[in-house]
């Protein structure tokens, strides 16, 4: 099994950038498809982005495409959620997840392993 530990959340001003990390241990992150989700208070968990094992295929929520990217560093066994031009409606707990499907999906049910989540807050 893979274990995922997240870091990098915090407070950022609107318009700013933040990089969220997801470090894998126990298994190679490249053995899994990777997904990113977020959940704001009182709302359902929302798909942000996903990548195939090799990151050859990436998918993004339409509303976030162009502002968020999900690079990976295989040498560090770590995936990243790079967030730019943050808006007042972006605050949420952000989660990384890993799954065993062939391609990344948009449903949280397609992912088996989850990080603990970290809070992102945007100040206006």
């Amino acid at each position: 099994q893979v274990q995922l530990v997240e870091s990098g959340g915090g407070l950022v001003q609107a318009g700013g950038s933040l990089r969220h990390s997801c470090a894998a241990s126990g298994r190679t992150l490249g053995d899994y498809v990777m997904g990113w989700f977020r959940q704001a208070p009182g709302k359902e968990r929302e798909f942000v982005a996903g990548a195939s094992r090799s990151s050859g295929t990436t998918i993004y929520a339409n509303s976030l495409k162009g502002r968020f990217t999900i690079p990976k560093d295989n040498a560090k066994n770590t995936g990243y959620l790079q967030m730019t031009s943050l808006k007042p409606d972006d605050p949420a707990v952000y989660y990384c997840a890993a799954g065993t499907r062939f391609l990344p999906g948009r449903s949280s049910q397609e992912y088996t392993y989850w990080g603990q989540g970290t809070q992102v807050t945007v100040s206006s």
Side-chain angles (χ1 to χ4, degrees), residues 16-18 36-38 46-49 58-61 63-71 80-87 89-91 94 120 122:
S17 300
L18 198 63
W36 291 90
F37 293 79
R38 67 183 184 181
E46 175 188 20
F47 171 76
V48 172
T58 54
I59 56 175
Y60 293 90
S63 61
L64 302 174
K65 197 170 184 178
R67 294 196 297 124
F68 289 13
T69 57
I70 49 173
Y80 301 96
L81 175 64
Q82 183 69 46
M83 301 177 282
T84 63
S85 301
L86 283 160
K87 300 179 179 179
D89 59 353
D90 287 325
Y94 282 73
V120 172
V122 180

Side-chain angles (χ1 to χ4, degrees), residues 5 7 11 13 23 28 35 41 47-49 54-55 59-60 65 71 74-75 79 82-83 89 97 100 103 113 122 124:
V5 177
S7 61
L11 174 65
Q13 284 189 327
T28 301
F47 171 76
V48 172
S54 65
S55 297
I59 56 175
Y60 293 90
K65 197 170 184 178
N74 290 330
Q82 183 69 46
M83 301 177 282
D89 59 353
T100 57
L103 291 174
Y113 308 100
V122 180
S124 57

Side-chain angles (χ1 to χ4, degrees), residues 28-56:
T28 301
L29 191 58
D31 290 342
Y32 301 87
V33 294
M34 190 171 190
W36 291 90
F37 293 79
R38 67 183 184 181
Q39 188 166 18
K43 295 186 177 182
E44 293 186 354
R45 192 164 295 188
E46 175 188 20
F47 171 76
V48 172
S52 61
R53 288 172 172 78
S54 65
S55 297

